[in-house]
Amino acid sequence: MSIPKVDSFKVLNLGKNNLSGSIPDTFPLSCSLQVLDFSSNILERKVLTSLERCTFLKVLDVGKNKIRDTLPYMLAKLPSLHVLGLRSNKFHGNLQFPIANQTWPRLQIVDISFNNFKGALIPQYFSNWEDQYLNVEDLNIYYQARMVVVLKGREMEIVNILEAFTSIDFSCNNFQGEIPEVVGDLKLLYLLNLSHNALTGRIPKALGKLNQLESLDLSVNQLSGKISDELVGLTFLSFLNISFNQLSGRIPRGNQFHMFSVDSFDGNTGLCDFPLKKTCSGDTNVNGLLQPNNHSEHEIDGKYIISFALGSSVSFSIIIWLLLHSRRYNEFIDRLIFRIFGQHKKEWQD
């Protein structure tokens, strides 16, 4: 395929065209592109090195192709890049740039999900991302571009990308190690998806500072420890999935947490309390964590039913004995019934 002359227009959208082969590495020095979309094709080989000439580029989406490459570090030289879509390709390696202190200072949407990236999520991956691009007074500023994101567990296509919309999707890769605390500094983040990796350690308390977060997916990892109470403060959170980890202890209560279903916490054998059926006991282990009660909710309900039935039977027997053997009790009941019905009869006559 050949690329049309790109020094005179700003948007090039060739997505969903069954394009194959590789993209010619022929972007000119006078490149004025702001939006470049090659998504949903069958393109292969590496990302173009000449793209670094497109210094005005704001949106790059090559998602859903067959591109085999490492992280295209030359794109870090693009000072205006806001949106990067590498989803569903064959990218591999870690996210470390060979050039020190090079990163995207204005990146607001990054989707590198469904690739073969690996290694630890070092703090530098996130600490150099600035929130200055989010300080927009006019929330109607948007890019004339389309991009597919996974929002609240569902794949959705954004037709016009607002500058105020921010998301990080690193799901379905091979990342290891702990989630950096510095992620909590991205306070205007709307979506965070780190699911289906091999992340370990605890869920950082710092995530509780993401006051604008609406969707959080940390499922299918190896996270352990308690669920931080700080997460209860995420009052905008409408989707939560931390299932299939190694979390333990009592599920926090308050705000949004009582609205999440069992699916949000399933697959963590050490978790207890609502909405799970496993109740928490008051005992603590050596780590100070609450031990889950081995008795199920049905067993507890059964005990209450048996106790109620036995108590009711005894009470009913006593009443029957009194009615049959106590003349004084019978006379008392007769007088009481006469007073009640006699009073009602008088009221009807009046």
Side-chain angles (χ1 to χ4, degrees), residues 196-226:
H196 292 82
N197 281 286
L199 299 175
T200 56
R202 296 175 178 268
I203 299 177
K205 293 182 179 180
L207 296 188
K209 298 188 295 182
L210 301 175
N211 296 325
Q212 303 299 319
L213 197 65
E214 294 187 7
S215 179
L216 175 62
D217 193 344
L218 305 177
S219 62
V220 195
N221 280 287
Q222 301 171 27
L223 301 172
S224 59
K226 297 179 65 176

Side-chain angles (χ1 to χ4, degrees), residues 153 163 177 267 271 294:
E163 285 194 358
L271 284 180
N294 293 326

Side-chain angles (χ1 to χ4, degrees), residues 161-315:
I161 303 174
L162 284 168
E163 285 194 358
F165 180 82
T166 58
S167 70
I168 295 176
D169 192 341
F170 285 8
S171 63
C172 299
N173 281 282
N174 298 305
F175 291 116
Q176 301 173 344
E178 299 184 355
I179 302 173
E181 292 277 345
V182 71
V183 176
D185 293 336
L186 304 175
K187 297 179 181 180
L188 298 178
L189 196 62
Y190 278 73
L191 181 154
L192 178 61
N193 190 347
L194 303 177
S195 66
H196 292 82
N197 281 286
L199 299 175
T200 56
R202 296 175 178 268
I203 299 177
K205 293 182 179 180
L207 296 188
K209 298 188 295 182
L210 301 175
N211 296 325
Q212 303 299 319
L213 197 65
E214 294 187 7
S215 179
L216 175 62
D217 193 344
L218 305 177
S219 62
V220 195
N221 280 287
Q222 301 171 27
L223 301 172
S224 59
K226 297 179 65 176
I227 302 173
S228 174
D229 290 333
E230 278 75 7
L231 295 185
V232 177
L234 300 178
T235 54
F236 282 96
L237 195 65
S238 58
F239 176 83
L240 173 69
N241 191 353
I242 52 177
S243 62
F244 296 99
N245 280 283
Q246 301 171 13
L247 300 170
S248 60
R250 188 185 300 272
I251 297 174
R253 296 185 179 184
N255 291 332
Q256 314 297 94
F257 264 71
H258 73 281
M259 300 174 58
F260 299 128
S261 67
V262 174
D263 295 337
S264 295
F265 308 97
D266 200 16
N268 293 279
T269 57
L271 284 180
C272 57
D273 213 344
F274 183 85
L276 301 178
K277 293 183 179 180
K278 182 183 292 185
T279 57
C280 298
S281 68
D283 299 329
T284 57
N285 60 19
V286 293
N287 295 319
L289 301 179
L290 288 167
Q291 294 281 12
N293 196 328
N294 293 326
H295 299 292
S296 67
E297 184 177 306
H298 295 294
E299 291 175 338
I300 295 174
D301 290 344
K303 291 180 180 179
Y304 281 126
I305 293 172
I306 293 173
S307 300
F308 177 77
L310 290 174
S312 299
S313 299
V314 172
S315 301

